[in-house]
């Protein structure tokens, strides 16, 4: 799997490496906070000073070829984040009001239509104790290529589509009607 690490957030890149078994690849850690893997149960016992971020890796086997000659193996859904980087769909979950899955599904519902993930899709949790105390939870689900395409199309029609990095200079404001 080839990923342009410069375009992926630090937590998502580390979690993607772990998820697809590429731990042996060394990443520059000069600007990457250290992540500590913890269990879901440990994450749920953390106090109110912790923020929880939930993201979903949606992927599908892809028998196609890129440019008619490079085998693709898998397609992975990633989206433009608010800061211009690529990332998995998801976001922060307020644990005062939502379970991890309910919060993730709420965020996914805003951007990806009716797809619902469950605890069975849970993959891992990692925390960092940097200036911000964040626990990143990763969920993963393999879809068919047709299902993945349908999710991708629904994202284009979401209420917040196009607002990730702000409007282009001279663009008209986006209407939420």
């Amino acid at each position: 799997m080839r990923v342009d690490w410069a375009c992926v957030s630090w937590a998502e890149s580390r979690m993607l490496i772990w998820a697809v078994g590429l731990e042996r690849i060394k990443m520059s850690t000069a600007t990457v906070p250290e992540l500590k893997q913890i269990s879901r149960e440990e994450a749920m016992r953390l106090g109110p000073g912790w923020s929880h971020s939930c993201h979903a890796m949606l992927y599908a086997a892809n028998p196609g070829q890129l440019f008619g000659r490079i085998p693709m193996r898998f397609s992975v859904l990633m989206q433009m984040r608010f800061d211009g980087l690529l990332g998995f769909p998801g976001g922060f979950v307020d644990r005062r009001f939502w379970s991890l899955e309910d919060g993730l599904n709420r965020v996914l519902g805003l951007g990806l239509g009716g797809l619902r993930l469950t605890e069975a899709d849970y993959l891992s949790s990692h925390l960092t104790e940097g200036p911000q105390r964040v626990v990143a939870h990763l969920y993963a689900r393999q879809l068919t290529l047709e299902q993945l395409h349908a999710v991708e199309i629904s994202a284009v029609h979401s209420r917040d589509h196009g607002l990730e990095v702000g409007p282009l200079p001279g663009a008209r404001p986006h209407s939420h009607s």
Side-chain angles (χ1 to χ4, degrees), residues 75-96:
S75 292
V76 178
L77 180 67
M78 298 187 86
Q79 297 179 323
M80 182 70 67
R81 293 170 12 127
F82 69 94
D83 57 6
L85 299 177
L86 292 177
F88 297 125
F92 283 97
V93 172
D94 190 336
R95 292 276 301 127
R96 296 174 300 170

Side-chain angles (χ1 to χ4, degrees), residues 12-142:
E12 290 163 333
S13 63
R14 297 287 291 272
M15 292 170 73
L16 179 60
I17 285 174
W18 180 84
V20 298
L22 300 176
E23 295 92 347
R24 64 190 175 276
I25 295 176
K26 285 289 192 186
M27 289 179 50
S28 167
T29 57
T31 60
V32 178
E34 189 60 36
L35 293 177
K36 175 185 173 193
Q37 186 172 0
I38 62 171
S39 71
R40 186 178 190 286
E41 292 73 27
E42 290 172 307
M44 296 298 92
R45 288 193 301 263
L46 293 172
W50 289 86
S51 297
H52 293 263
S53 169
C54 296
H55 291 83
M57 180 172 68
L58 305 174
Y59 66 100
N62 188 336
Q65 292 188 335
L66 184 63
F67 307 120
R69 61 187 167 132
I70 302 168
M72 291 202 283
R73 295 186 56 210
F74 291 92
S75 292
V76 178
L77 180 67
M78 298 187 86
Q79 297 179 323
M80 182 70 67
R81 293 170 12 127
F82 69 94
D83 57 6
L85 299 177
L86 292 177
F88 297 125
F92 283 97
V93 172
D94 190 336
R95 292 276 301 127
R96 296 174 300 170
F97 305 113
W98 307 97
S99 70
L100 292 176
E101 292 78 22
D102 287 343
L104 175 59
N105 286 319
R106 181 177 180 275
V107 173
L108 293 179
L110 294 175
L112 299 180
L115 181 71
R116 294 197 56 81
L117 297 177
T118 67
E119 192 173 339
D121 298 307
Y122 170 81
L123 193 60
S124 69
S125 296
H126 291 79
L127 64 82
T128 180
E129 295 190 62
Q132 292 132 2
R133 297 170 62 170
V134 177
V135 183
H137 304 277
L138 181 63
Y139 292 76
R141 181 180 292 171
Q142 183 169 2

